[in-house]
Amino acid sequence: MTQRRPIQVAVIGGGCAAMTAAFELTKPEHEGRFAVTVYQLGWRLGGKGASGRGPSGRIEEHGLHIWLGFYENAFALMRATYAEAARDPETCPIATWRDAFFPDPHVGVADRSGGGEWGAWLALFPPAPGLPGDPIGPNSPFTLTHYIARTVALLRALLFSARTREKVAPPEPSGGVDGLVERASRLLSAGALTAAAGLSEALAVLTGALRALPIFPEALFVRLVENLATAVRGELGLLVDLDPNLRRKWDVIDLVLAFLVGVARFRLMSDPRGLSAIDHLDCREFLRL
């Protein structure tokens, strides 16, 4: 029996995608089917994310490296890589992936005002349960419904931190689908979204509607999202020039609202293709529609 010759694979460049492909092709389960050669200028791998230690132990890198917590696939890959490497912690200072990464819930960026002054925009993202890259369980968070629910939670936090006149926290939704439908219909018919309490209740109803889909009427869901976006923009849109901190929050709030309206109008929650249904659209075009 002749031994099968491995398939020769050339990987051009040492960036993240290239190294991911090389790692997958050389997994033990392939039993040496592929012979992978990586062609890279210089010795430092990683592409735009490359880093290393130069003279006097100084870090040499292409930029500040921050891996946000939603990079689940990337963290899963790094954890598998470190596990396969099985470094000895007695001799290697970076033996495990926990040595290579440390959590930081604080994020800060700099922003220039209309007058040319620089200011800091600081945000706190409380840690979520579990670790990045944990195996996906039966209740996968990578569904469109889950993403939208997280988006609404972000909107609630931003909107009520931006409001300085009324400190009204949105109540948690209660009751069944019929109760949610009744509350949504009342909010839309009575024009209650123009008041702070109405916005508060609308966010709670929207959260409950997401949990109740597809039972909750989709047409009513679309109307609720569109009217909520109009009400929030009418209330906060004229105030953003008066407060730089509010303007920064408004940038995110407005983007979130545009995304929610687009998801509702295109019926993406009930479309089996999900976000693939709008692949023909440029992201800017989608946000404008």
Side-chain angles (χ1 to χ4, degrees):
M1 181 177 179
T2 59
Q3 187 176 7
R4 183 177 60 181
R5 297 183 60 183
I7 300 173
Q8 301 295 318
V9 178
V11 177
I12 310 301
C16 295
M19 301 313 300
T20 299
F23 182 80
E24 291 295 322
L25 291 174
T26 55
K27 281 187 172 181
E29 53 261 38
H30 294 307
E31 299 179 342
R33 182 184 177 191
F34 304 101
V36 179
T37 303
V38 177
Y39 293 89
Q40 159 73 21
L41 291 174
W43 62 269
R44 184 177 282 114
L45 296 173
K48 291 185 288 295
S51 66
R53 296 282 179 172
S56 303
R58 297 184 64 184
I59 295 177
E60 296 180 355
E61 57 183 348
H62 293 161
L64 181 61
H65 294 159
I66 299 176
W67 273 30
L68 300 181
F70 51 76
Y71 289 164
E72 292 290 337
N73 291 333
F75 273 108
L77 176 65
M78 294 304 299
R79 291 171 65 168
T81 303
Y82 275 95
E84 188 173 312
R87 290 172 168 176
D88 183 0
E90 297 294 329
T91 59
C92 182
I94 306 179
T96 70
W97 76 278
R98 299 298 297 270
D99 299 325
F101 297 88
F102 66 90
D104 186 356
H106 298 88
V107 176
V109 296
D111 184 29
R112 180 174 287 176
S113 68
E117 300 86 6
W118 284 98
W121 185 8
L122 304 178
L124 171 66
F125 291 87
L131 294 173
D134 278 347
I136 303 302
N139 297 321
S140 172
F142 303 114
T143 62
L144 184 56
T145 300
H146 178 84
Y147 282 130
I148 298 303
R150 292 291 300 271
T151 300
V152 173
L154 172 64
L155 178 61
R156 292 174 70 178
L158 286 172
L159 180 59
F160 286 93
S161 66
R163 300 178 61 89
T164 57
R165 288 174 293 170
E166 301 95 355
K167 302 295 183 180
V168 182
E172 290 298 322
S174 59
V177 176
D178 292 340
L180 289 172
V181 170
E182 188 277 328
R183 290 169 65 185
S185 301
R186 175 176 50 79
L187 286 168
L188 293 171
S189 62
L193 289 178
T194 58
L199 290 176
S200 172
E201 185 174 0
L203 288 171
V205 172
L206 186 58
T207 302
L210 285 169
R211 297 173 183 171
L213 289 174
I215 303 175
F216 191 89
E218 191 172 31
L220 188 59
F221 178 81
V222 174
R223 287 184 57 206
L224 181 62
V225 172
E226 291 180 340
N227 280 268
L228 177 63
T230 300
V232 172
R233 286 171 174 149
E235 182 175 358
L236 295 183
L238 299 177
L239 303 177
V240 295
D241 292 332
L242 304 178
D243 185 347
N245 291 321
L246 180 59
R247 180 179 60 82
R248 298 186 185 105
K249 291 178 181 178
W250 173 246
D251 288 341
V252 181
I253 291 172
D254 193 44
L255 182 61
V256 170
L257 287 171
F259 175 71
L260 285 175
V261 169
V263 168
R265 287 180 178 174
F266 282 90
R267 274 30 179 211
L268 299 183
M269 303 290 291
S270 60
D271 195 317
R273 297 172 296 171
L275 294 175
S276 298
I278 54 172
D279 277 348
H280 62 288
L281 295 174
D282 182 277
C283 182
R284 294 167 296 183
E285 182 182 4
F286 168 74
L287 293 175
R288 284 195 299 262
L289 292 175

